[in-house]
Amino acid sequence: MTGSTAGPPDGQEAAAQLERTRALVDPELRAAVESLPASMRRIGLYHFGWQHADGTPAAGNAGKAIRPALVLAAAAALGGPAARAAAVRAAAAVELVHNFTLLHDDVMDRDTTRRHRPTAWTVFGDTDAILAGDALQALALRLLAEDPHPASARAAARLTTCVIELCEGQHADSELEQRAPDAVTLDEVLAMAEAKTGALLGCACALGALYAGADEADVAALDGFGRQAGLAFQLIDDVIGIWGDPRRTGKPVGADLAARKKSLPVVAALTSGAPGAADLAEMYARPYPREGGEDGEIARTALAVERAGGRDWAQAEAADRMARAVQELTRAIPDPEAAGGLLALAEFVTRRSS
């Protein structure tokens, strides 16, 4: 994809889009969160980084805003600036759904750090974090239900269908974790990743197309673009989760390996047939040492994944998924200049290191 747009180099165009998106969407997001009852409001404000746990104001770190940026970029690509302005509420709805999944995922995965601070469940407890996530999902649908835009009803239906797919993907993820290391196929994990991650990125792009008044073929093409870009995003996310720098990611390195999660690079390594695959399967069949003996275990497991080809496969597969994403995008927007904003965002998510 390098050279496909004439915008600023080294991700500057995507960074500028994300900054503009935060400026447009954050006021809508914050107004929605502040409309919640006090018990839910304090958790939502904490989760988005707008308050500390004690309720005092915080500088804020509400995430990169990739999904709402995709909504606005898709609307602009197909309908121009007016469509982008009209889609701000839809962009906020997508971001609320994304954060609903984060609150729930952190509880289920027992993750203790997100965005460089303790996760909501570690501060407020499981019950309150889950209820706050439920409230964010309801807020997303209310935003669309109250939106007078003619596409809002179709957008709400599509977002609701996406939430069901997200739940299906999370269920598949949990079910796969119960299986032995040699009882999971790569196709199963790819399908799970598409449901958990690709579906919402596809939905974001589709909502932008709907708000631009696009026909069903173009909406479907934008959904396909987002899904493939989402798979590339997940592949890179899994690579970062194993080999990333925790100072940049805000998460402890190797947490998925310690939890013996069957991420994409791990399953690719386990099913590779390479000499190191058997060693990795033996490691994964043993519980991670919780008290003593864990020194170097993460590094040894990560090295086993790499030796069995998991890292190389994930990076190559991410590139292939991005090529498929571009093909889908070209169906709806054949002009590279018009598609530049979406291409820049897609390239950003596959070149990131945090």
Side-chain angles (χ1 to χ4, degrees):
M1 283 176 54
T2 303
S4 61
T5 73
D10 301 327
Q12 291 179 24
E13 181 180 345
Q17 283 192 78
L18 294 171
E19 187 176 348
R20 289 194 300 269
T21 297
R22 285 256 78 105
L24 288 169
V25 174
D26 273 4
E28 190 80 47
L29 271 177
R30 185 150 190 168
V33 173
E34 288 182 342
S35 74
L36 291 172
S39 57
M40 301 294 99
R41 183 169 62 243
R42 67 186 184 122
I43 302 165
L45 291 172
Y46 173 83
H47 171 75
F48 278 105
W50 296 321
Q51 281 187 2
H52 296 295
D54 62 3
T56 57
N61 178 14
K64 295 182 179 67
I66 289 166
R67 290 155 191 83
L70 287 170
V71 176
L72 301 184
L78 288 165
R84 177 174 54 207
V88 168
R89 187 172 290 186
V94 168
E95 187 70 345
L96 285 166
V97 164
H98 173 54
N99 282 276
F100 134 69
T101 69
L102 297 183
L103 283 162
H104 283 200
D105 283 357
D106 286 343
V107 173
M108 287 184 276
D109 296 340
R110 311 314 286 172
D111 286 338
T112 58
T113 306
R114 181 173 294 282
R115 298 167 182 162
H116 304 277
R117 68 202 312 231
T119 46
W121 72 268
T122 67
V123 176
F124 302 102
D126 289 2
T127 300
D128 282 0
I130 291 168
L131 290 171
D134 293 342
L136 294 189
Q137 182 193 165
L139 280 179
L141 296 177
R142 189 175 77 185
L143 281 181
L144 293 176
E146 294 176 348
D147 191 351
H149 193 282
S152 63
R154 291 172 66 198
R158 197 166 194 115
L159 188 58
T160 304
T161 299
C162 177
V163 169
I164 295 170
E165 188 173 357
L166 292 172
C167 294
E168 179 187 25
Q170 181 60 42
H171 178 271
D173 190 17
S174 300
E175 194 272 328
L176 291 174
E177 292 309 309
Q178 305 306 313
R179 296 197 210 165
D182 60 356
V184 176
T185 70
L186 197 50
D187 284 345
E188 286 178 310
V189 182
L190 282 166
M192 177 271 294
E194 180 176 348
K196 275 193 66 174
T197 304
L200 189 55
L201 271 72
C203 184
C205 296
L207 261 59
L210 286 172
Y211 271 69
D215 62 28
E216 189 52 44
D218 286 348
V219 173
L222 265 291
D223 182 88
F225 163 75
R227 283 176 179 271
Q228 294 298 330
L231 272 172
F233 177 97
Q234 187 60 57
L235 285 154
I236 297 302
D237 198 61
D238 286 352
V239 168
I240 291 169
I242 298 174
W243 294 283
D245 182 349
R247 292 171 298 181
R248 301 192 62 172
T249 64
K251 298 179 182 181
V253 69
D256 285 354
L257 295 179
R260 300 310 195 220
K261 288 188 72 68
K262 298 175 182 71
S263 65
L264 286 159
V266 167
V267 175
L270 287 168
T271 58
S272 66
D279 292 338
L280 178 62
E282 184 180 339
M283 288 181 180
Y284 252 59
R286 299 194 305 264
Y288 182 74
R290 296 296 173 187
E291 295 182 8
E294 68 270 17
D295 289 348
E297 177 73 10
I298 291 294
R300 286 191 293 272
T301 309
L303 183 59
V305 176
E306 189 160 9
R307 283 177 172 168
R311 186 174 190 171
D312 287 344
W313 174 86
Q315 291 171 330
E317 184 71 10
D320 178 65
R321 294 294 175 166
M322 276 311 311
R324 298 189 200 186
V326 173
Q327 288 178 342
E328 292 285 352
L329 183 60
T330 304
R331 287 171 47 205
I333 312 170
D335 179 7
E337 185 174 352
L342 286 164
L343 289 169
L345 288 169
E347 185 167 290
F348 171 82
V349 302
T350 56
R351 289 181 180 271
R352 64 200 179 93
S353 59
S354 63

